[in-house]
Amino acid sequence: MARRSTSGSTGRPTGNPSGPRNRTPQPVRVRRRTFGDFVKALLAFVVLLVLVVGVPGALAVTVGWPLPTSAPSMGWLSQPIGVDTFLNTLTVIVWLAWAQFTACVLVEVKAAVSGVGLPGRVPGAGPSQLLARQLVAALLLVGATAASFTPGLSQLGHSLEGNQKGTVAAAQATPGILAQQQEQAKSTAAALAEQAGHVAAQAEHGGTSAHGTTKYYRIQPPEGRHHDSLWEIAQRHLGDGRRYKEIYELNKDRVQPDGSRLSEASLIRPGWIMEMPGDAHGGELVENPDAHVPSEVRQQIGDYARTGDHAQHQQQGGGQHADQDGATAQITVPAQRPAGDAATPAAHAQGSADPSTGHSADHSFGHSFGLPEALLGAPLLAAGLLAALGRRRRQALWQSALGAVGGRRGMEPPTPTGDAQDVQDALLVGADPEGVRLLDLSLRGLSAALTAESRSLPVVYAAWLSHGDLHLQLAQPAGKPPAPWQLGQDQTFWTLSRADAERYEDTDAAAPYPGLVSLGTMDDSRLLLNLEAVPGIVSLSGREADRAALFASVAAELATNGWSDRMTITLVGFGADLIPLAPSRLRHLDDVDALFETMAAETRQRRGALGAADHQSVLTGRTGPAQHTRWAPNLVLLATQPSAEDAVRLAELAADAARLGIGYLVGTESDDLPGAAWAMEITPDGRLLAPLLGLELRAQLLPAVQQHAVVELFVEADPEHDPDGPTTTPPFLVDISEQGRPAVYARLVGPYEIIGLDTPDGDRSALLHEALALLLLHREGVHPRVLSSALWPRGVTEDVRDALLERLRGWLGTDPDGGPRLRTDATGRLVLAKSVVSDLDVLRSLYHEATQGKGVDSRAVRGRLLTDALVLVRGPLLADRAEGRYRWLTHEIIDAQLPLLVADIGLALSAFHLEKDRAQKAIEALGAALKTAPDDERLWHELLRATHATGDPDRIRALAAELIARSGARGLPPRTEALLDELLPTWRDGAAATG
């Protein structure tokens, strides 16, 4: 073994960099018990005997029972207070003080026997518990467990609070410890001290300098206490938990007795051996080992002592990898296949795709149009936000149509402007809904396959999206994955190719890993960290504004992602304005006190539920019959720096969080948050650093400006936001008179037809028709990047896109005044001239004119306009569109707008005819509307009324039977049942006969 050098008490290595990362330890003698220790123990025993046994005995003999033997009468209140009453009251107080002190003694004795580093606190018993601790410590000082029963043993007389702040329980014990290693890990401190002589002998044979001996610490099993951690070891034996990094550096990558290696400061196992800095102290340390210990134990310590050179050599070789036979200790970038293997030939012919997602990487417009790059580079976040926004807008349309919000029937969603418009365009460009769909299918498919094989879900620390493939990094090897998954670069990687993911079909399996959230990109791979699987707290340091941007990104993606089911995201001290993104998922707490109150109760509840269900963790509960009823994660985002005392409490709360499906991401001003399992730092230039995890990412952020704009989109889509506005006027009205005949007329409602233009060349016709349809559905204008992203979701080169725009301009031509029919407005967006019109524009204009224009004052005009509008409806939107094209329609809400508009027209025309008792005409109008909006309950209700108005009971019975058949097992909606009860009281008899 190479010669060791030292730099002082800090224990940091100096000197020859090629030697092992150690230093010459200062001689520290194992403290032997003295006569004074026995005297202290005897006195402590006497004092405890007097206080715990003598006090109640004396009270029972001298005073007796101090409380009344029967219920006192009201007259007792008016009696004078005598000596007996005073003595009895004083006796009750003494009894209470004795009970409190006895409880403190029991708590301290339990902590000493079980090895807990931080005994529980008895409410209101600060001085009493301190006295109890000192007496129990003195009594047990002569026992074998004295050195380990409390971290403050050498500081008797210090405050109770001071002792509590020093210890943090944060590490996770990795399952799979061999029985032999468990037995060895239970060795007492005295037995370990006898092993120290062999270390010196082995070190001498290996070439170690004789100037000092090396001290070691063996990681102890929990056995009723929190799992041990490097922080606690440093606190006990170095006097400062922040010196855990020195222990980590001494032992990093060295082979442990179980064959695995320490590659992450937060992950240590019982039975492992830790070499300690030279100034370490305490009875648990092994020094000057004795040769009389079992040969197997001596061999383990000796073998570990010789691993320093190997660890240093491995570090210099630049290779840090997760041990294939042990637990994952780093988040490692997966081995990548060539980018050309992942993308289709068409994608390469049209341009480059983002290799991490297979999504468009078109940046040719750069910042010239002001789109926020943060959202352009966040495909999964953008897809989630866009899908949630679409659902919110559809919900608002249905609420307005059903009269939930008065005065807004038929309302068009407000057109965003300014920053909100830029953010919406960025979402449209950056979103990768196909990537989200494949990720969701892949994870649920994996869960279903494991369930079919009666296997449990493995713990997943991270997922990587690389060149379209999905790589899951496991906490530890879990055997061969189910097909079509394959083993990756080592036993801790399960990999699924994009081609295999596309063959997955929908399954009813519960979401197995809902806590996955994007953090950024590294080496053309996108990292999703599984927050609920982290063994403790994830800390995030850096500037406040940078931390806030990352917290907002994490919260927004968790709230809207498509690979989760139920979930709770608890935002503490920030994010109240984010609630509109997902009110059912996001929860805001004002401060840390509210967090402790809430999460302490939830932690207890989850522990009890897991125990009652006989599950080891929430992963066990996400498979099988009960998978959809429980085990939704709760992810806590605390953006503000907790106090030192709160950090300790939080670390204790998070010690068992990974098993319970609870994750903690905590902001801090420095990188030494107590109890942090994984520490990350966000830099001003947008890099996310996690040295212990081996990560340096380009962080995914949601800066304040974009965050506020995203929230504005959701708030404006809420029908309750502004009940008095906006007006119901569509954004684009056309001249429906004979003089307003358009130059170009496109029929979109039904089969796609274009009148007024020559048919373009066959190879270019599909793209030109799709581009025109997109522009016609967005009369407010379309950003060029949105257009190119819609036509080429996997990317396009600049020359191909520009060539298409030029052909589109040439195809549309110019108006008689010489103006182009496709122009660019002041914001850089592509806008069609008013001479280019679609039947959807005419449909909206006819309905608006009939209900808010000339038709209001003229019944004849209203009937003609409504009839003309209904004639335009030939079927669903773009009924004959080619398969694989027009995928951008999934981002639109036109599929909800058009049926509602047609239903409104049908209802208005039916009411027009029923005013003159023309029931058959009303039935015809409603039937025509039902062809496009068959699920609109309003149309069926009006059809029932119109049929009832014919006076033919057979027709209404036939219609009732049709409705019952359509409803199937779900049954009729309550309002439909009520209407049938009114119009056809005997309809239930017919339904029973049919059933």
Side-chain angles (χ1 to χ4, degrees):
M1 201 168 185
R3 183 181 182 88
R4 303 177 186 267
S5 59
T6 184
S7 59
S9 62
T10 63
R12 298 189 179 278
T14 59
N16 184 7
S18 64
R21 293 161 295 163
N22 203 345
R23 80 266 92 225
T24 304
Q26 300 174 2
V28 178
R29 298 182 180 276
V30 178
R31 186 178 183 272
R32 303 297 181 183
R33 303 176 187 88
T34 65
F35 177 75
D37 294 334
F38 286 97
V39 173
K40 290 180 181 178
L42 179 61
L43 292 176
F45 175 76
V46 172
V47 173
L48 284 173
L49 187 65
V50 170
L51 293 177
V52 176
V53 180
V55 169
L59 289 175
V61 172
T62 60
V63 181
W65 183 251
L67 299 177
T69 56
S70 60
S73 63
M74 295 299 296
W76 176 81
L77 297 176
S78 60
Q79 294 179 358
I81 299 177
V83 176
D84 291 340
T85 303
F86 176 77
L87 289 177
N88 287 337
T89 303
L90 183 61
T91 302
V92 170
I93 296 175
V94 175
W95 272 109
L96 293 175
W98 170 84
Q100 184 187 59
F101 177 77
T102 302
C104 294
V105 172
L106 294 176
V107 168
E108 295 297 327
V109 170
K110 179 181 180 298
V113 172
S114 62
V116 172
L118 186 62
R121 180 184 297 181
V122 178
S128 297
Q129 190 165 3
L130 179 59
L131 175 60
R133 174 173 299 181
Q134 292 174 344
L135 293 173
V136 173
L139 178 62
L140 297 181
L141 188 61
V142 297
T145 60
S148 63
F149 104 99
T150 178
L153 189 60
S154 62
Q155 302 174 1
L156 294 179
H158 290 196
S159 68
L160 175 65
E161 289 76 7
N163 284 340
Q164 286 178 331
K165 291 179 181 179
T167 303
V168 179
Q172 177 193 52
T174 306
I177 304 299
L178 300 177
Q180 180 183 5
Q181 295 165 349
Q182 291 176 334
E183 184 65 27
Q184 293 169 355
K186 297 177 181 178
S187 301
T188 62
L192 290 175
E194 294 177 356
Q195 301 170 9
H198 185 66
V199 174
Q202 291 287 343
E204 183 176 357
H205 290 304
T208 305
S209 172
H211 292 295
T213 56
T214 305
K215 285 164 285 187
Y216 294 89
Y217 174 80
R218 184 183 294 272
I219 306 301
Q220 300 298 315
E223 293 192 0
R225 60 181 175 86
H226 293 301
H227 299 296
D228 215 345
S229 69
L230 293 187
W231 177 281
E232 288 184 320
I233 297 169
Q235 182 70 29
R236 293 197 300 268
H237 301 294
L238 299 177
D240 186 353
R242 290 172 294 185
R243 293 184 62 187
Y244 77 93
K245 297 179 182 179
E246 300 175 31
I247 306 176
Y248 169 70
E249 289 297 330
L250 284 174
N251 297 277
K252 182 170 64 173
D253 293 326
R254 296 173 64 177
V255 179
Q256 293 291 337
D258 62 359
S260 55
R261 294 181 175 89
L262 172 68
S263 296
E264 185 179 338
S266 61
L267 298 180
I268 58 177
R269 300 184 185 183
W272 279 9
I273 301 168
M274 293 289 112
E275 185 174 341
M276 299 295 290
D279 60 337
H281 54 82
E284 291 176 307
L285 300 179
V286 180
E287 184 181 10
N288 297 325
D290 193 337
H292 296 291
V293 299
S295 59
E296 185 177 358
V297 176
R298 294 200 309 268
Q299 185 63 39
Q300 284 187 357
I301 298 177
D303 290 344
Y304 187 75
R306 290 193 295 268
T307 59
D309 286 332
H310 171 72
Q312 181 70 19
H313 174 74
Q314 183 184 41
Q315 184 190 36
Q316 290 180 347
Q320 289 187 1
H321 302 286
D323 183 55
Q324 295 185 11
D325 299 323
T328 294
Q330 277 191 313
I331 304 300
T332 310
V333 178
Q336 300 177 11
R337 59 193 174 109
D341 295 342
T344 63
H348 280 286
Q350 296 164 352
S352 60
D354 182 350
S356 65
T357 64
H359 185 64
S360 173
D362 174 18
H363 298 288
S364 55
F365 283 87
H367 293 272
S368 58
F369 295 107
L371 294 187
E373 296 291 338
L375 289 171
L376 295 177
L380 304 184
L381 169 62
L385 288 170
L386 205 57
L389 182 60
R391 290 192 295 270
R392 182 68 53 82
R393 286 173 171 172
R394 289 183 179 89
Q395 180 184 11
L397 285 173
W398 280 105
Q399 286 182 350
S400 64
L402 296 175
V405 181
R408 303 184 73 178
R409 180 173 173 178
M411 177 197 74
E412 289 287 327
T415 301
T417 58
D419 290 337
Q421 186 178 25
D422 290 339
V423 162
Q424 178 173 279
D425 288 340
L427 293 177
L428 290 167
V429 174
D432 183 18
E434 182 67 8
V436 171
R437 187 183 72 86
L438 291 179
L439 176 62
D440 184 45
L441 286 177
S442 301
L443 296 176
R444 294 180 194 268
L446 174 63
S447 177
L450 289 171
T451 300
E453 297 179 4
S454 299
R455 297 170 61 185
S456 59
L457 290 165
V459 177
V460 170
Y461 279 160
W464 292 90
L465 291 171
S466 180
H467 297 296
D469 298 341
L470 173 61
H471 308 262
L472 297 182
Q473 187 165 4
L474 314 184
Q476 60 184 7
K480 184 179 179 181
W485 290 79
Q486 299 177 354
L487 286 175
Q489 63 202 55
D490 60 45
Q491 296 291 324
T492 61
F493 272 95
W494 285 6
T495 299
L496 181 70
S497 69
R498 185 183 181 95
D500 289 331
E502 290 172 344
R503 288 193 284 269
Y504 265 121
E505 298 180 354
D506 290 334
T507 176
D508 62 350
Y513 304 112
L516 287 170
V517 63
S518 303
L519 292 185
T521 56
M522 177 182 182
D523 296 340
D524 295 332
S525 298
R526 184 170 303 278
L527 170 66
L528 289 83
L529 184 68
N530 190 5
L531 275 182
E532 67 167 339
V534 176
I537 296 172
V538 179
S539 68
L540 176 66
S541 60
R543 298 189 311 181
E544 184 177 0
D546 299 324
R547 296 200 316 262
L550 192 141
F551 269 97
S553 172
V554 170
E557 183 170 300
L558 288 173
T560 60
N561 73 50
W563 55 89
S564 303
D565 297 325
R566 297 175 298 112
M567 180 190 294
T568 300
I569 303 104
T570 302
L571 310 179
V572 186
F574 86 106
D577 56 332
L578 293 174
I579 300 300
L581 300 184
S584 61
R585 285 193 180 186
L586 291 169
R587 172 177 63 182
H588 177 261
L589 300 178
D590 292 329
D591 50 35
V592 178
D593 291 337
L595 170 66
F596 286 134
E597 180 180 356
T598 301
M599 295 310 300
E602 180 160 344
T603 299
R604 289 193 300 269
Q605 186 273 332
R606 288 187 176 230
R607 283 178 179 152
L610 282 175
D614 195 24
H615 292 324
Q616 294 180 352
S617 72
V618 295
L619 288 181
T620 313
R622 287 185 185 149
T623 55
Q627 59 181 297
H628 293 288
T629 59
R630 61 179 73 185
W631 319 124
N634 189 336
L635 304 177
V636 177
L637 308 182
L638 173 59
T640 57
Q641 166 86 38
S643 66
E645 182 178 358
D646 288 340
V648 173
R649 295 173 62 194
L650 191 62
E652 294 174 339
L653 195 62
D656 198 26
R659 188 177 67 90
L660 304 176
I662 302 174
Y664 292 88
L665 178 61
V666 180
T668 176
E669 297 174 0
S670 59
D671 60 353
D672 59 351
L673 181 71
W678 293 347
M680 300 186 297
E681 177 189 0
I682 180 69
T683 65
D685 59 352
R687 291 181 301 136
L688 186 63
L689 308 178
L692 294 181
L693 298 178
L695 294 178
E696 181 175 343
L697 306 171
R698 181 185 177 189
Q700 177 174 296
L701 305 174
L702 186 59
V705 175
Q706 283 79 53
Q707 175 186 335
H708 296 154
V710 166
V711 172
E712 180 183 342
L713 290 174
F714 280 79
V715 171
E716 290 294 331
D718 186 356
E720 303 286 353
H721 171 59
D722 185 9
D724 297 328
T727 64
T728 59
T729 304
F732 182 75
L733 296 175
V734 298
D735 185 356
I736 57 176
S737 65
E738 188 66 26
Q739 294 76 21
R741 185 180 297 273
V744 178
Y745 182 66
R747 304 178 73 183
L748 305 178
V749 185
Y752 192 2
E753 299 177 18
I754 298 179
I755 302 172
L757 292 177
D758 296 331
T759 302
D761 296 340
D763 293 341
R764 300 166 180 170
S765 177
L767 278 174
L768 291 175
H769 278 73
E770 186 174 355
L772 179 58
L774 178 62
L775 292 167
L776 285 168
L777 292 177
H778 290 278
R779 302 306 303 231
E780 73 278 8
V782 177
H783 197 288
R785 296 185 70 171
V786 174
L787 180 65
S788 63
S789 177
L791 299 180
W792 295 285
R794 296 180 66 85
V796 64
T797 57
E798 184 176 351
D799 57 336
V800 172
R801 185 203 56 246
D802 290 345
L804 175 79
L805 290 179
E806 287 304 316
R807 283 194 293 271
L808 184 59
R809 287 191 178 94
W811 182 44
L812 292 175
T814 59
D815 285 330
D817 60 1
R821 290 172 181 157
L822 177 62
R823 60 184 179 84
T824 303
D825 65 8
T827 65
R829 289 171 171 82
L830 301 170
V831 181
L832 290 173
K834 292 184 177 181
S835 59
V836 182
V837 173
S838 73
D839 54 355
L840 187 59
D841 299 327
V842 177
L843 190 66
R844 288 167 171 161
S845 300
L846 288 170
Y847 178 67
H848 177 267
E849 191 68 19
T851 56
Q852 300 182 47
K854 297 178 181 179
V856 174
D857 300 323
S858 172
R859 171 181 165 80
V861 171
R862 181 169 72 256
R864 177 175 57 82
L865 292 174
L866 291 173
T867 302
D868 291 345
L870 203 55
V871 170
L872 289 177
V873 180
R874 301 174 298 124
L877 187 77
L878 299 169
D880 58 350
R881 60 180 179 267
E883 184 178 357
R885 304 212 65 89
Y886 298 87
R887 291 184 178 179
W888 46 270
L889 281 173
T890 58
H891 298 320
E892 307 285 343
I893 62 170
I894 185 62
D895 59 336
Q897 289 175 297
L898 180 59
L900 286 175
L901 176 60
V902 173
D904 284 345
I905 294 172
L907 291 170
L909 188 56
S910 172
F912 171 81
H913 289 306
L914 288 177
E915 288 176 1
K916 295 297 184 178
D917 295 326
R918 296 196 291 262
Q920 186 57 40
K921 289 287 187 181
I923 292 173
E924 293 174 0
L926 293 168
L930 279 168
K931 293 179 181 178
T932 301
D935 298 324
D936 197 313
E937 190 180 0
R938 300 172 300 161
L939 291 175
W940 290 104
H941 290 176
E942 289 303 311
L943 185 58
L944 282 170
R945 294 187 178 98
T947 304
H948 182 265
T950 64
D952 187 346
D954 292 335
R955 291 184 65 177
I956 193 169
R957 275 194 292 269
L959 181 57
E962 181 181 355
L963 279 172
I964 294 170
R966 284 178 56 87
S967 64
R970 297 173 300 174
L972 292 173
R975 286 183 292 187
T976 303
E977 287 190 357
L979 182 59
L980 280 173
D981 287 337
E982 176 187 350
L983 301 180
L984 186 66
T986 61
W987 72 274
R988 297 181 188 275
D989 298 334
T994 303

